[in-house]
Amino acid sequence: MNLGNQIAMIRKEQQLTQEKFGELFHVTRQTVSNWENEKSYPDLQTLIDISNRFDISLDTLLKEDSKMVTAIDRERALGTMKREKSIIDFFTGAGTGFVASCLFSPYSAKRNVIIIIGLVMIGIGWYKKAKYDKTVFKYMTENETSQN
């Protein structure tokens, strides 16, 4: 049984309308409807709250719905990738800013140190970008393999 059917079954067993069920978890009736029709899924904290409130193990809720498990895995991977991309952008952007800001300043030891720091930051950004690209490529090939 998929997660949407399980949520509908729990709600009906408890004799709750979609609106009352939504109020328990601070979401709208439409959100509950979307969960039941598998247009979207509850976030992990809401799943834990459902599990606790109705004394149903997360294992029971999640394991039977492979589509849900895949969606959670994908969201987690995308979140990690977005954070990594932000770090890459910081290093390359800040490093470039340091180097560019020193190009027109008079020669000094301070200027040279800032340029070196900027170049090191750019290097770190490029290194992290190469690792990021490898991870993205691996993720994409794993998804292609699992879909075939």
Side-chain angles (χ1 to χ4, degrees):
M1 181 183 305
N2 63 38
L3 182 62
N5 289 339
Q6 287 182 337
I7 290 173
M9 185 179 72
I10 292 167
R11 181 179 62 75
K12 289 173 184 172
E13 284 176 356
Q14 299 296 317
Q15 299 177 346
L16 297 170
T17 64
Q18 286 179 338
E19 188 168 340
K20 291 292 181 190
F21 191 87
E23 287 174 9
L24 292 174
F25 302 105
H26 310 290
V27 298
T28 65
R29 179 202 62 75
Q30 291 86 352
T31 300
V32 174
S33 176
N34 286 338
W35 293 345
E36 291 179 359
N37 293 311
E38 294 190 31
K39 292 180 181 176
S40 65
Y41 293 104
D43 61 29
L44 194 53
Q45 185 57 54
T46 303
L47 285 171
I48 292 169
D49 292 345
I50 291 170
S51 169
N52 289 338
R53 182 174 291 267
F54 299 112
D55 198 30
I56 297 167
S57 74
L58 278 175
D59 209 32
T60 302
L61 282 173
L62 294 177
K63 273 197 172 174
E64 293 184 18
D65 193 344
S66 61
K67 188 176 169 186
M68 171 65 178
V69 172
T70 302
I72 288 174
D73 286 345
R74 183 178 299 121
E75 285 179 26
R76 187 181 65 229
L78 288 174
T80 301
M81 289 167 36
K82 284 180 183 177
R83 279 189 301 280
E84 187 65 24
K85 182 80 170 91
S86 296
I87 292 169
I88 291 166
D89 291 345
F90 167 76
F91 275 106
T92 54
T96 302
F98 286 164
V99 171
S101 68
C102 290
L103 288 178
F104 301 108
S105 61
Y107 289 103
S108 68
K110 182 179 174 182
R111 173 187 182 257
N112 292 340
V113 169
I114 292 173
I115 288 174
I116 291 169
I117 291 171
L119 292 173
V120 168
M121 289 180 75
I122 292 169
I124 291 170
W126 286 352
Y127 172 75
K128 288 186 144 309
K129 176 77 166 116
K131 284 179 59 178
Y132 172 82
D133 288 345
K134 192 181 283 187
T135 304
V136 169
F137 181 75
K138 180 182 173 188
Y139 178 75
M140 290 174 63
T141 54
E142 285 175 358
N143 279 343
E144 283 180 14
T145 306
S146 67
Q147 289 177 355
N148 293 336

